[in-house]
Amino acid sequence: MVVSKMNKDAQMRAAINQKLIETGERERLKELLRAKLIECGWKDQLKAHCKEVIKEKGLEHVTVDDLVAEITPKGRELQNPIVPSSHL
């Protein structure tokens, strides 16, 4: 029964996502989210955190993967008051 519900949920999500793509609403929502995050300073805060991490570890010792792993939790933490993760 649990698998069946998960399957239905996955099918419903896929159908909704497809409809959002077809209507162009998905792109509009992404742009709205991007604008909201920039407006509240989220992008600038993450950029500053990236610079901080690079400064601490040294440019020659940081890979893109390291940077992504380091800033992803910070990005999620910072976005929560702005856009609850239930909306993503």
Side-chain angles (χ1 to χ4, degrees), residues 36-86:
K36 223 18 157 180
L37 290 171
I38 290 170
E39 178 184 304
C40 72
W42 179 85
K43 183 179 174 184
D44 292 334
Q45 288 176 313
L46 269 189
K47 187 176 179 179
H49 185 61
C50 285
K51 288 179 179 181
E52 197 176 290
V53 169
I54 292 169
K55 189 175 180 179
E56 284 175 11
K57 294 186 177 191
L59 183 58
E60 59 281 347
H61 300 291
V62 178
T63 67
V64 172
D65 289 338
D66 293 339
L67 201 52
V68 169
E70 187 83 30
I71 66 166
T72 298
K74 182 75 169 179
R76 288 188 176 135
E77 173 189 318
L78 290 172
Q79 66 86 39
N80 274 341
I82 305 149
V83 183
S85 58
S86 62

Side-chain angles (χ1 to χ4, degrees), residues 14-32:
I16 291 169
N17 194 40
Q18 184 62 36
K19 195 63 150 177
L20 288 171
I21 291 169
E22 288 172 3
T23 62
E25 191 67 8
R26 185 168 192 262
E27 282 304 311
R28 189 189 74 75
L29 290 170
K30 281 173 50 177
E31 284 303 316
L32 180 64

